[in-house]
Structure formats: structure tokens, C-alpha cells
Amino acid sequence: MNHIYAGQSKVLAPLVGGSDLSFRLLSRKYGAQVTFTEMCISEYYLRASDKTVRYKKYTFEFDPTDRPLLLQVAGNRPGPIIEMVNQDMFKGKIDAVDLNCGCPQGFALEKNYGCALLKDPDHLVNLCKEIAQNIPYPLSVKLRLEGNGFSRSTRLIIPDSVEHTIEIMMRLKEVGVRAFTVHGDKRGLADWDAIKKIRETFPDIPIIGNGNVGSHGDFQSMIDHTGVDGVMAGYGALIKPCLFQSEEIDIGQMVRDYLLIAVGHENDWIDIQRHIQWIIKGKSTLIFELSMQKAELFTTKNIPELISFLRGLTPPIHVEWNPEEIPMDRTTYPRQSVSAKDKRKEKKLAEKREKLLQREKFQDKGS
Ligand SMILES: Cc1cc2nc3c(=O)[nH]c(=O)nc-3n(C[C@H](O)[C@H](O)[C@H](O)COP(=O)(O)O)c2cc1C
């Protein structure tokens, strides 16, 4: 996989709800060289019917300019992963497949995938061997480190030392894993020394370092510190997509660049709102989190409403918008399908908004 990570690449992380095609293209516009799809749970994908078409549309949209692209898969049985990856829809669209061995979320642990796979190295080795032998793409693995053998978020025992992680990686390499991304997570902070040690142990295959990249300078700092072949940015890229380039970009310009791509791809409005929320967070994390502005954002229904919402923020975010660039009749989008989760989220936001309004009224009366 050396060709994918030629020349110390800047890599956009796999991000559920984040690394959709529009955001991948935005990241590339600013300098990302390698991108990942979000984690695709193979068994869910294979069961997905037309009703859950949103899952397929959102996750599996491709563009010839978005290469090299890695399809990230999650699962713990080789059969469904192999069946999914061999679907015609991926032919000529992806450059490699990455197995998620890092997800710490409860839903992944329940089903024994994500970082739960690290609990049982024998099973993981067999899984990777089967996958590597039965797919027409190179296989890589993204895994996480944990400092003391205990993940707070997962309440799970996973490799308790870099040495243990390295042992597992050696076995995975033997059965055909061609590259690794190491999320150097150690109690919330990334352990770049551990990533360096891993880099030194595996000089002949690409090692991508991940964790705590929050500015453009961090890409070079991680390379200088660890010698990795590529540096991956996740949350930092969501809240500041222009971090892939050295030149700073005004937040209004980033919003505009994103909207032009997302509207062009007819993204669901809820996905557009979520990305805008992340980009705004980059400017005013605390204020935005605490305020009712977040709820306001999620009540916008189209571009003009969104633009006036952004202009009304303190401080205002000015987005240049020429209605002729995107005809007005293309400013609202029907959902492909609204998942139960999205509905619950909307309901929660509406309730929160109502509460905040009540509180404000109460405070007004008191003052
Ligand atoms: C919103 C969000 C979604 C994520 N989704 C995935 C995913 O689908 N697959 C994965 O391997 N990691 C996922 N991660 C973890 C990131 O890829 C990355 O490893 C982690 O955020 C650490 O990098 P950072 O410090 O640059 O954020 C996600 C992280 C965030 C914040």
C-alpha cells in the first residue's frame, strides 16, 4: 500500500456522520491526500433494504477525484465483510479496505467488533487472514492503543502495552495486513511515543499516526516526532476542515465552500446542518454548546434560513451567497428517509429549545 501513502500523506479519518463524500471533497480541496469512508457495518449493509437507502446513499457515494479512498468496514465475521466488499458497486471506486479495530462504542462492543476485536487476537488474526485472501483490494487495519489495559469508555481490557499491540500487529502483518493506522489514544491524549515505537518496529509497511491533530502544524510535528508515513485528522478536521492547508481560511468561507459542494450533491439537510454545527464549534465551542443556538440551527430548513441564522450569531458568520449559484428551488431537500434515530434527535432538540425559551422568559420576568 506504499503507493497510497506516498510522500507522508495528510489523511482524513473515517468518521461516522462526518466522512461523507461532500466532506471528503472539501477536505481534499484544502489538501487532504487520502480519505476513508465512515465505518460500514457489513451485516447492517447486507440487510439494508430500500427503506434504509439513506445508509447506502450517504455512505457509498463516490467521485473519481476522491482517490485514494479506503472503504472502512466493521464486523467480526469474515463472510459478511467479504460479501460486502466484493459487491460490484465498489469496483474501480476504492483503493483499499480498512478493518475497524478501534471503535469503542457500546453498540460495537455488544456485537464484538471495533476495538472488541483486540480482546481476542487469535480470532482477529483469522478474520484478517480470511478477508485478505478473499478480497481484490489490499487490507489495512485501524486500531487504538490504550495505556493501562483498561479503556474508560469501553470498560474493556485491551492490549495493555505497546509491546502487546506490536505483537498483535506482527501477526496481522504475517497474514496479509498491508498497513496500519494507529490511534494513539491514551486516556484522552494521543501517545506519540508509542506511535514512534510502532513506526520503528515496522519500517517496511505504511504506518499512519492518529490522535490530537488540531492544526496544520501538527501534521509535520507528528511526522517529525514519529516518522510515520501519514498523519490522520478526525475531530480537528470536522471543526476546522482547512487544517489540511497552511493558509488560514475564514469560517464563513469554509461554510460557503462546504455548502457549494454539499448542495451540489443534494445531501440530506440534516447532514448539512450537522457539518455546519461542527464548523461553527471550531469557532466557539463552549458558547455554541451551551446556547440555544444549536437548537436554532437544527430548525433551519433551507439555505436562506441557514445564511440568516449564521449572520445572526454573535459574532456573525458572514457567508457570501449568490442565489444564482444555487437556484432557490434547490435549496430544500426531501430526506431520502428519516431514520428513527434522526426523529428522536429532532424531538430532543425541539424539547431543549422549548426549555431554553421557557428559561429565558422566566429570567426576563425576574430581571
Ligand atoms: C464523529 C466521529 C466519528 C468517528 N467515526 C469513526 C469511524 O467510523 N471509524 C473509525 O475507525 N474511527 C472513527 N472515529 C475515530 C476517528 O477516526 C479518530 O480515530 C479519532 O477521532 C482520533 O483522532 P482525532 O484526535 O484526530 O479526532 C470517529 C470519531 C469521531 C469524532
Side-chain angles (χ1 to χ4, degrees), residues 13-16 37-39 72 100 103 142 183 210-213 232-236 238 278:
L15 296 159
V16 169
T37 66
E38 69 174 26
M39 158 177 92
Q72 193 187 59
N100 182 322
C103 181
K142 177 169 179 279
H183 176 195
N210 170 230
N212 297 140
V213 171
M232 175 184 278
Y235 190 70
L238 285 174
W278 269 318

mmCIF file of all heavy atoms in Angstrom, residues 13-16 37-39 72 100 103 142 183 210-213 232-236 238 278, ligand 1:
data_model
loop_
_atom_site.group_PDB
_atom_site.id
_atom_site.type_symbol
_atom_site.label_atom_id
_atom_site.label_comp_id
_atom_site.label_asym_id
_atom_site.label_seq_id
_atom_site.Cartn_x
_atom_site.Cartn_y
_atom_site.Cartn_z
ATOM 1 N N ALA A 13 -9.776 11.121 8.502
ATOM 2 C CA ALA A 13 -10.160 9.913 9.247
ATOM 3 C C ALA A 13 -11.519 9.378 8.795
ATOM 4 O O ALA A 13 -12.341 10.126 8.265
ATOM 5 C CB ALA A 13 -10.227 10.249 10.735
ATOM 6 N N PRO A 14 -11.754 8.085 9.055
ATOM 7 C CA PRO A 14 -13.126 7.586 8.921
ATOM 8 C C PRO A 14 -13.953 8.198 10.038
ATOM 9 O O PRO A 14 -13.545 8.163 11.199
ATOM 10 C CB PRO A 14 -12.970 6.066 9.113
ATOM 11 C CG PRO A 14 -11.680 5.874 9.835
ATOM 12 C CD PRO A 14 -10.808 7.053 9.525
ATOM 13 N N LEU A 15 -15.097 8.776 9.693
ATOM 14 C CA LEU A 15 -15.900 9.486 10.697
ATOM 15 C C LEU A 15 -17.375 9.196 10.464
ATOM 16 O O LEU A 15 -17.934 9.628 9.440
ATOM 17 C CB LEU A 15 -15.659 10.997 10.582
ATOM 18 C CG LEU A 15 -14.234 11.482 10.876
ATOM 19 C CD1 LEU A 15 -13.974 12.846 10.250
ATOM 20 C CD2 LEU A 15 -13.973 11.515 12.370
ATOM 21 N N VAL A 16 -17.987 8.466 11.368
ATOM 22 C CA VAL A 16 -19.416 8.202 11.226
ATOM 23 C C VAL A 16 -20.153 9.537 11.236
ATOM 24 O O VAL A 16 -19.941 10.371 12.113
ATOM 25 C CB VAL A 16 -19.930 7.310 12.384
ATOM 26 C CG1 VAL A 16 -21.448 7.255 12.382
ATOM 27 C CG2 VAL A 16 -19.353 5.910 12.259
ATOM 28 N N THR A 37 -13.974 6.183 3.965
ATOM 29 C CA THR A 37 -15.420 6.262 4.193
ATOM 30 C C THR A 37 -15.637 6.128 5.691
ATOM 31 O O THR A 37 -14.728 5.749 6.425
ATOM 32 C CB THR A 37 -16.182 5.099 3.526
ATOM 33 O OG1 THR A 37 -15.812 3.866 4.166
ATOM 34 C CG2 THR A 37 -15.906 5.029 2.038
ATOM 35 N N GLU A 38 -16.860 6.404 6.132
ATOM 36 C CA GLU A 38 -17.151 6.099 7.529
ATOM 37 C C GLU A 38 -17.205 4.582 7.688
ATOM 38 O O GLU A 38 -17.265 3.842 6.699
ATOM 39 C CB GLU A 38 -18.481 6.731 7.959
ATOM 40 C CG GLU A 38 -19.704 6.117 7.311
ATOM 41 C CD GLU A 38 -21.017 6.676 7.871
ATOM 42 O OE1 GLU A 38 -21.047 7.807 8.360
ATOM 43 O OE2 GLU A 38 -22.021 5.947 7.804
ATOM 44 N N MET A 39 -17.181 4.131 8.928
ATOM 45 C CA MET A 39 -17.252 2.697 9.217
ATOM 46 C C MET A 39 -18.563 2.115 8.663
ATOM 47 O O MET A 39 -19.639 2.638 8.946
ATOM 48 C CB MET A 39 -17.205 2.556 10.737
ATOM 49 C CG MET A 39 -17.740 1.306 11.310
ATOM 50 S SD MET A 39 -17.516 1.326 13.098
ATOM 51 C CE MET A 39 -19.052 2.039 13.651
ATOM 52 N N GLN A 72 -13.918 1.708 4.862
ATOM 53 C CA GLN A 72 -13.723 1.103 6.184
ATOM 54 C C GLN A 72 -14.886 0.179 6.526
ATOM 55 O O GLN A 72 -16.052 0.562 6.399
ATOM 56 C CB GLN A 72 -13.568 2.134 7.293
ATOM 57 C CG GLN A 72 -13.051 1.412 8.546
ATOM 58 C CD GLN A 72 -13.005 2.247 9.788
ATOM 59 O OE1 GLN A 72 -14.021 2.768 10.220
ATOM 60 N NE2 GLN A 72 -11.826 2.370 10.376
ATOM 61 N N ASN A 100 -12.026 -1.865 10.923
ATOM 62 C CA ASN A 100 -12.099 -1.050 12.134
ATOM 63 C C ASN A 100 -11.828 -1.908 13.371
ATOM 64 O O ASN A 100 -12.596 -2.805 13.695
ATOM 65 C CB ASN A 100 -13.496 -0.411 12.226
ATOM 66 C CG ASN A 100 -13.641 0.493 13.435
ATOM 67 O OD1 ASN A 100 -13.132 0.193 14.515
ATOM 68 N ND2 ASN A 100 -14.333 1.601 13.268
ATOM 69 N N CYS A 103 -13.234 1.128 17.209
ATOM 70 C CA CYS A 103 -14.479 1.738 17.691
ATOM 71 C C CYS A 103 -14.787 1.279 19.120
ATOM 72 O O CYS A 103 -14.904 0.078 19.376
ATOM 73 C CB CYS A 103 -15.645 1.384 16.766
ATOM 74 S SG CYS A 103 -17.182 2.142 17.312
ATOM 75 N N LYS A 142 -7.164 -0.336 11.290
ATOM 76 C CA LYS A 142 -7.046 0.852 12.154
ATOM 77 C C LYS A 142 -7.335 0.399 13.577
ATOM 78 O O LYS A 142 -8.392 -0.173 13.847
ATOM 79 C CB LYS A 142 -8.050 1.925 11.718
ATOM 80 C CG LYS A 142 -8.058 3.172 12.598
ATOM 81 C CD LYS A 142 -8.875 4.283 11.940
ATOM 82 C CE LYS A 142 -8.946 5.555 12.762
ATOM 83 N NZ LYS A 142 -9.943 5.518 13.824
ATOM 84 N N HIS A 183 -4.347 4.769 16.266
ATOM 85 C CA HIS A 183 -4.914 5.866 17.047
ATOM 86 C C HIS A 183 -4.254 5.763 18.419
ATOM 87 O O HIS A 183 -4.550 4.857 19.190
ATOM 88 C CB HIS A 183 -6.442 5.704 17.129
ATOM 89 C CG HIS A 183 -7.107 6.720 17.997
ATOM 90 N ND1 HIS A 183 -8.391 6.594 18.449
ATOM 91 C CD2 HIS A 183 -6.658 7.891 18.508
ATOM 92 C CE1 HIS A 183 -8.707 7.637 19.194
ATOM 93 N NE2 HIS A 183 -7.672 8.433 19.246
ATOM 94 N N ASN A 210 -2.377 8.720 14.300
ATOM 95 C CA ASN A 210 -3.655 9.408 14.504
ATOM 96 C C ASN A 210 -3.814 9.778 15.973
ATOM 97 O O ASN A 210 -3.500 8.992 16.857
ATOM 98 C CB ASN A 210 -4.792 8.469 14.046
ATOM 99 C CG ASN A 210 -6.182 8.966 14.429
ATOM 100 O OD1 ASN A 210 -6.976 8.222 14.988
ATOM 101 N ND2 ASN A 210 -6.486 10.205 14.138
ATOM 102 N N GLY A 211 -4.310 11.004 16.170
ATOM 103 C CA GLY A 211 -4.620 11.436 17.529
ATOM 104 C C GLY A 211 -4.099 12.819 17.835
ATOM 105 O O GLY A 211 -2.909 13.096 17.665
ATOM 106 N N ASN A 212 -5.029 13.697 18.226
ATOM 107 C CA ASN A 212 -4.675 15.058 18.652
ATOM 108 C C ASN A 212 -4.026 15.906 17.574
ATOM 109 O O ASN A 212 -3.093 16.658 17.847
ATOM 110 C CB ASN A 212 -3.757 15.032 19.877
ATOM 111 C CG ASN A 212 -4.432 14.418 21.080
ATOM 112 O OD1 ASN A 212 -3.807 13.681 21.805
ATOM 113 N ND2 ASN A 212 -5.708 14.700 21.271
ATOM 114 N N VAL A 213 -4.511 15.788 16.360
ATOM 115 C CA VAL A 213 -4.047 16.710 15.318
ATOM 116 C C VAL A 213 -5.104 17.803 15.211
ATOM 117 O O VAL A 213 -6.211 17.561 14.739
ATOM 118 C CB VAL A 213 -3.863 15.973 13.971
ATOM 119 C CG1 VAL A 213 -3.588 16.959 12.847
ATOM 120 C CG2 VAL A 213 -2.717 14.979 14.088
ATOM 121 N N MET A 232 -3.269 11.240 10.277
ATOM 122 C CA MET A 232 -4.724 11.267 10.101
ATOM 123 C C MET A 232 -5.357 12.264 11.065
ATOM 124 O O MET A 232 -5.014 12.295 12.245
ATOM 125 C CB MET A 232 -5.276 9.866 10.373
ATOM 126 C CG MET A 232 -6.778 9.760 10.344
ATOM 127 S SD MET A 232 -7.321 8.093 10.785
ATOM 128 C CE MET A 232 -7.138 7.247 9.233
ATOM 129 N N ALA A 233 -6.277 13.067 10.536
ATOM 130 C CA ALA A 233 -7.006 14.004 11.399
ATOM 131 C C ALA A 233 -8.484 13.645 11.404
ATOM 132 O O ALA A 233 -9.065 13.369 10.349
ATOM 133 C CB ALA A 233 -6.823 15.433 10.903
ATOM 134 N N GLY A 234 -9.090 13.656 12.599
ATOM 135 C CA GLY A 234 -10.506 13.328 12.737
ATOM 136 C C GLY A 234 -11.297 14.536 13.193
ATOM 137 O O GLY A 234 -11.706 15.377 12.385
ATOM 138 N N TYR A 235 -11.469 14.643 14.512
ATOM 139 C CA TYR A 235 -12.295 15.722 15.053
ATOM 140 C C TYR A 235 -11.770 17.097 14.636
ATOM 141 O O TYR A 235 -12.538 17.996 14.298
ATOM 142 C CB TYR A 235 -12.352 15.602 16.583
ATOM 143 C CG TYR A 235 -13.370 16.525 17.190
ATOM 144 C CD1 TYR A 235 -14.727 16.289 17.016
ATOM 145 C CD2 TYR A 235 -12.972 17.650 17.909
ATOM 146 C CE1 TYR A 235 -15.672 17.152 17.550
ATOM 147 C CE2 TYR A 235 -13.911 18.517 18.448
ATOM 148 C CZ TYR A 235 -15.260 18.258 18.263
ATOM 149 O OH TYR A 235 -16.188 19.115 18.779
ATOM 150 N N GLY A 236 -10.440 17.232 14.639
ATOM 151 C CA GLY A 236 -9.837 18.515 14.262
ATOM 152 C C GLY A 236 -10.274 18.941 12.865
ATOM 153 O O GLY A 236 -10.502 20.126 12.599
ATOM 154 N N LEU A 238 -13.100 17.987 11.365
ATOM 155 C CA LEU A 238 -14.537 18.296 11.344
ATOM 156 C C LEU A 238 -14.788 19.739 11.753
ATOM 157 O O LEU A 238 -15.620 20.428 11.166
ATOM 158 C CB LEU A 238 -15.298 17.373 12.312
ATOM 159 C CG LEU A 238 -15.512 15.934 11.863
ATOM 160 C CD1 LEU A 238 -16.149 15.125 12.989
ATOM 161 C CD2 LEU A 238 -16.386 15.862 10.619
ATOM 162 N N TRP A 278 -20.583 21.438 13.318
ATOM 163 C CA TRP A 278 -19.185 21.148 13.646
ATOM 164 C C TRP A 278 -18.295 22.341 13.303
ATOM 165 O O TRP A 278 -17.446 22.735 14.087
ATOM 166 C CB TRP A 278 -18.709 19.905 12.881
ATOM 167 C CG TRP A 278 -18.898 18.622 13.623
ATOM 168 C CD1 TRP A 278 -18.652 18.402 14.951
ATOM 169 C CD2 TRP A 278 -19.367 17.373 13.090
ATOM 170 N NE1 TRP A 278 -18.935 17.092 15.264
ATOM 171 C CE2 TRP A 278 -19.367 16.437 14.156
ATOM 172 C CE3 TRP A 278 -19.769 16.950 11.831
ATOM 173 C CZ2 TRP A 278 -19.753 15.103 13.991
ATOM 174 C CZ3 TRP A 278 -20.155 15.628 11.666
ATOM 175 C CH2 TRP A 278 -20.153 14.714 12.735
HETATM 176 C C1 LIG B 1 -17.719 11.913 14.965
HETATM 177 C C2 LIG B 1 -16.682 10.834 14.933
HETATM 178 C C3 LIG B 1 -16.921 9.680 14.197
HETATM 179 C C4 LIG B 1 -15.949 8.664 14.135
HETATM 180 N N1 LIG B 1 -16.179 7.566 13.351
HETATM 181 C C5 LIG B 1 -15.188 6.643 13.195
HETATM 182 C C6 LIG B 1 -15.334 5.568 12.271
HETATM 183 O O1 LIG B 1 -16.336 5.434 11.562
HETATM 184 N N2 LIG B 1 -14.308 4.667 12.176
HETATM 185 C C7 LIG B 1 -13.150 4.794 12.915
HETATM 186 O O2 LIG B 1 -12.238 3.967 12.773
HETATM 187 N N3 LIG B 1 -12.993 5.810 13.774
HETATM 188 C C8 LIG B 1 -13.966 6.741 13.912
HETATM 189 N N4 LIG B 1 -13.769 7.808 14.735
HETATM 190 C C9 LIG B 1 -12.453 7.979 15.372
HETATM 191 C C10 LIG B 1 -11.559 8.832 14.454
HETATM 192 O O3 LIG B 1 -11.382 8.228 13.197
HETATM 193 C C11 LIG B 1 -10.193 9.076 15.104
HETATM 194 O O4 LIG B 1 -9.528 7.850 15.250
HETATM 195 C C12 LIG B 1 -10.323 9.737 16.471
HETATM 196 O O5 LIG B 1 -11.261 10.797 16.442
HETATM 197 C C13 LIG B 1 -8.964 10.278 16.933
HETATM 198 O O6 LIG B 1 -8.471 11.216 16.020
HETATM 199 P P1 LIG B 1 -8.555 12.801 16.299
HETATM 200 O O7 LIG B 1 -7.827 13.047 17.598
HETATM 201 O O8 LIG B 1 -7.895 13.430 15.114
HETATM 202 O O9 LIG B 1 -10.013 13.135 16.395
HETATM 203 C C14 LIG B 1 -14.730 8.807 14.839
HETATM 204 C C15 LIG B 1 -14.503 9.966 15.584
HETATM 205 C C16 LIG B 1 -15.451 10.972 15.627
HETATM 206 C C17 LIG B 1 -15.157 12.229 16.411
#
